[in-house]
Amino acid sequence: MTTTSETQAAPLLDLQRLFVAIRRRKRLWLATGLLGLIAGALVAIVLPTPPTAVTKVIIVHQDDSPTDSGTLMRTDVAVLSTTQIAEGALKKINSTESPEEFMKNFAGLGLTNNVMQITVKAKSTEEAVAQAQALADTFIADHVQRSQAAAAAQSKAILDQRKNAQDELTKVDQQIADETGKGRNANASTLEGMYGRRAALASQISDFDSRAQQAGIGSPQVAAGTQVVDAARALPKAFLKTTATNGGIGFALGLVLGIAIAAVGAVSRDRPVLRREISTHLGASVLAQLPSKRRGPARLWRRSRAVTERQRVATTLVRAIKKDKPAVSLLELGAPKVAAALALDIAGELAADGKASVLDDLPNEDVRKLAGETNSEVTVVGAGDPDAEPDERRVGVGTVSPGTAWTDLEHLGQETVLVVKAGHANTLWLHTVARQLADQQIPIIGVVLVDPDPRDKSDGTLWDGLHTALRGRAKTSPAEHRVSVVGHDRIDELAARIAERVAVAEPPTRRIAPVRPVGPPPAPPKPSAAPLPEPGKVSVDHLDAPTKKFAPVKPKRPTPFKRDHGEPAHKGELNAQLEPEKSAEVS
């Protein structure tokens, strides 16, 4: 047997194992999702949405333009959420609530560049409608007032500039009159400059007049355009919609929380669920897999299928173990009921060829209870009952769960089949089971995996330990056939070689004495048909007889250019070479 010196390093995070572990714990994250759904629905029932009123206001901006990106509307929403507006609205409805608390119950939302929606929540529907209307009126009044104040300020600034220009024009006119009164002594260039200055001032005054008129016109447009377009009204209570929304949010949050818990648990608990992991940690191949006992309505239509699969596995085990005399036990790890049912099926198959019974050593006596429920005809005995009769096949059923009395396992059977539930035990305990069984010199024939992942495609076969694996017991190999026909001395020699190889290359669970093949007693060696001739009298006919022990005849002086087909000339040397082998064969 060859062993590989290179070991593959285990990945830091096995995604396949993580996904399988999360899928196997679907009950957890589905339960958390269901709890989130129920919690969300209860929140909608216990904490219903308060009465809500909405109103819509169209706002006209003096500096509005089609290219505005919503800056003016965001400004209006920010102005709405101020204590000044809240205080004005509360005064309008004669409320004693503080503006700070009132600001928590209303909000503005810009639907377009010029339409804003105001939403108000209150203790009653009437109060919510009144507060929404008061907020809209207060905001419109504040907006118109700010617009008028801006227009008035702009108009006043323009009129002040016009007055200054008019005063300067009056001075220029006076200077022109004074210069003209000089008659012939008037300076023509000075008059020309004054006339130019008077024309410029007259143009400025005309421009200021037009700008002042435009500033005054802008305020009435804002005041007339800013108004309530949708009167305050109470929103209908959509109980079903609110409940469904809260329930959906709760379900999503619960689902995410459950998946996160399952993922963290899969990484931290280190419980193998794949076939290749379980076979590697136990040092035995996975022979078959069985589904666990179904829960809920699924067990009604899958019961027959589970029974059929269990009987098929029992038949496979019976075909392999009924040819051997050593008793075989079933040791469960997380699946006592499956092991009990499998033991009853195996004993039922063995009872067809002779007397068979089941030794129930499970803590809860699951085999005895199952036999009583199913009215099985298989005899079930306890740990304190007498030993089996010489011709009785007894199948022991025990457990290797924490707290097991390891020294009692050898009384259940000299060999064992482990019935392990996937994801039940961690890696440390699987190594403990393998080590304890090796110390008790109980070889593990194989593993029956219970409740595996249906999408697990990993290989659970170990390609070593053929002398204990079922694939090496179900069919006699040619090497075992040759061993069965040789003498006892040859069997002891082969047994010693196998024991030496197993001690060197096998894992700890294989450090046991090899199983001798069971077959008919070896026939005594047959005497040769004719006695060997005496030394020195070997004839050519005897040399032509088939044998694999005689050394080939080599001439003393080979001649490559001539082949001698006659009798060899060196009979003495040939007899000398054959003499030790003849003496060994005769003895």
Side-chain angles (χ1 to χ4, degrees):
M1 184 179 299
T2 60
T3 59
T4 59
S5 58
E6 298 180 358
T7 58
Q8 297 181 354
L12 182 62
L13 181 62
D14 192 347
L15 294 180
Q16 181 184 6
R17 176 183 176 185
L18 179 62
F19 292 154
V20 170
I22 293 176
R23 188 165 55 245
R24 287 178 57 84
R25 302 195 68 186
K26 60 182 179 181
R27 289 193 182 95
L28 172 63
W29 44 267
L30 286 178
T32 55
L34 182 60
L35 289 177
L37 176 64
I38 296 175
L42 289 178
V43 168
I45 297 174
V46 177
L47 301 176
T49 304
T52 305
V54 295
T55 183
K56 295 180 181 177
V57 179
I58 185 170
I59 306 172
V60 177
H61 303 96
Q62 188 173 1
D63 299 331
D64 198 2
S65 64
T67 59
D68 181 49
S69 60
T71 305
L72 297 176
M73 179 54 64
R74 288 195 292 271
T75 302
D76 294 334
V77 172
V79 171
L80 178 67
S81 302
T82 57
T83 56
Q84 180 180 355
I85 302 297
E87 186 176 0
L90 291 175
K91 289 181 179 179
K92 188 177 287 294
I93 60 176
N94 298 323
S95 177
T96 58
E97 186 179 1
S98 63
E100 290 76 11
E101 293 294 330
F102 181 51
M103 289 172 57
K104 299 178 182 178
N105 297 328
F106 71 87
L109 176 62
L111 301 180
T112 64
N113 289 344
N114 297 99
V115 178
M116 180 174 63
Q117 176 178 296
I118 302 175
T119 305
V120 182
K121 296 180 181 179
K123 297 180 180 179
S124 62
T125 304
E126 294 77 8
E127 186 178 356
V129 172
Q131 291 178 356
Q133 188 64 41
L135 275 173
D137 295 339
T138 304
F139 176 79
I140 291 174
D142 179 77
H143 179 72
V144 172
Q145 181 183 0
R146 286 186 289 105
S147 177
Q148 291 177 350
Q154 185 178 4
S155 178
K156 183 177 181 302
I158 295 174
L159 292 177
D160 290 342
Q161 292 179 0
R162 181 184 178 281
K163 184 178 179 300
N164 295 332
Q166 185 66 40
D167 294 340
E168 187 177 357
L169 179 61
T170 303
K171 293 180 181 180
V172 171
D173 289 340
Q174 183 63 37
Q175 292 176 0
I176 292 174
D178 293 340
E179 190 68 27
T180 304
K182 294 180 180 181
R184 294 179 179 183
N185 295 326
N187 191 349
S189 59
T190 303
L191 288 174
E192 184 178 359
M194 291 180 181
Y195 286 137
R197 178 62 179 166
R198 186 176 62 177
L201 290 174
S203 177
Q204 290 182 4
I205 292 171
S206 177
D207 182 52
F208 287 150
D209 289 338
S210 62
R211 289 173 58 185
Q213 291 177 0
Q214 291 179 358
I217 294 173
S219 179
Q221 293 178 353
V222 173
T226 302
Q227 58 184 347
V228 177
V229 294
D230 190 2
R233 57 185 176 86
L235 291 179
K237 294 183 179 180
F239 176 75
L240 295 179
K241 182 179 179 180
T242 305
T243 304
T245 303
N246 294 347
I249 295 175
F251 178 76
L253 294 178
L255 202 63
V256 172
L257 179 61
I259 292 177
I261 294 175
V264 173
V267 175
S268 60
R269 294 168 63 186
D270 189 23
R271 295 190 177 185
V273 294
L274 301 178
R275 286 196 293 266
R276 58 178 170 84
E277 293 180 335
I278 295 176
S279 62
T280 301
H281 295 314
L282 288 177
S285 301
V286 176
L287 307 177
Q289 59 186 26
L290 292 173
S292 62
K293 187 177 180 180
R294 296 291 178 178
R295 299 179 181 179
R299 61 181 180 180
L300 299 178
W301 61 80
R302 294 190 178 184
R303 180 181 179 87
S304 59
R305 179 180 177 183
V307 173
T308 302
E309 292 181 359
R310 190 182 67 244
Q311 292 177 352
R312 178 179 56 82
V313 174
T315 303
T316 302
L317 296 177
V318 167
R319 289 174 181 173
I321 65 178
K322 70 179 181 179
K323 300 179 181 179
D324 300 331
K325 292 183 179 180
V328 177
S329 63
L330 296 178
L331 300 179
E332 65 85 20
L333 183 58
K337 295 183 179 180
V338 177
L342 189 60
L344 290 178
D345 293 339
I346 293 176
E349 293 283 346
L350 294 176
D353 298 335
K355 190 175 181 181
S357 61
V358 178
L359 175 59
D360 186 7
D361 195 26
L362 294 175
N364 298 327
E365 297 184 350
D366 294 292
V367 181
R368 194 181 302 273
K369 294 178 181 178
L370 183 61
E373 294 175 358
T374 59
N375 297 326
S376 176
E377 298 180 356
V378 177
T379 304
V380 180
V381 298
D385 294 342
D387 296 337
E389 299 178 0
D391 57 344
E392 179 183 357
R393 299 297 299 270
R394 179 166 291 182
V395 179
V397 184
T399 180
V400 287
S401 301
T404 300
W406 301 104
T407 56
D408 294 341
L409 296 181
E410 61 181 2
H411 301 290
L412 299 178
Q414 301 177 8
E415 298 175 342
T416 185
V417 175
L418 294 178
V419 182
V420 181
K421 184 176 181 180
H424 177 74
N426 54 16
T427 302
L428 180 60
W429 187 251
L430 293 180
H431 282 281
T432 302
V433 172
R435 183 176 66 253
Q436 292 290 346
L437 292 178
D439 293 342
Q440 298 298 323
Q441 296 185 353
I442 301 176
I444 303 175
I445 299 176
V447 178
V448 176
L449 191 60
V450 179
D451 193 18
D453 184 76
R455 299 182 183 180
D456 181 15
K457 306 300 181 182
S458 61
D459 187 10
T461 304
L462 299 181
W463 297 103
D464 55 358
L466 189 63
H467 60 286
T468 56
L470 280 184
R471 64 180 185 274
R473 301 160 61 95
K475 183 178 180 180
T476 304
S477 62
E480 293 176 348
H481 180 72
R482 289 195 299 269
V483 171
S484 61
V485 298
V486 299
H488 289 285
D489 53 344
R490 186 63 175 168
I491 294 179
D492 295 337
E493 180 182 356
L494 292 177
R497 291 180 180 179
I498 293 176
E500 181 180 359
R501 291 182 180 181
V502 170
V504 173
E506 288 288 342
T509 55
R510 300 293 186 265
R511 296 176 182 175
I512 57 176
V515 181
R516 284 189 177 183
V518 179
K526 297 182 180 180
S528 58
L532 297 176
E534 297 180 1
K537 296 182 180 182
V538 179
S539 62
V540 177
D541 297 337
H542 183 72
L543 290 176
D544 293 336
T547 178
K548 62 180 180 179
K549 293 186 177 181
F550 292 167
V553 179
K554 296 182 179 180
K556 185 174 182 181
R557 294 178 180 179
T559 56
F561 303 100
K562 180 174 65 178
R563 187 181 301 275
D564 189 4
H565 298 284
E567 182 177 358
H570 304 281
K571 296 183 180 180
E573 294 180 2
L574 178 61
N575 293 335
Q577 293 177 1
L578 298 178
E579 187 63 24
E581 298 183 1
K582 293 177 183 179
S583 60
E585 186 71 16
V586 172
S587 62

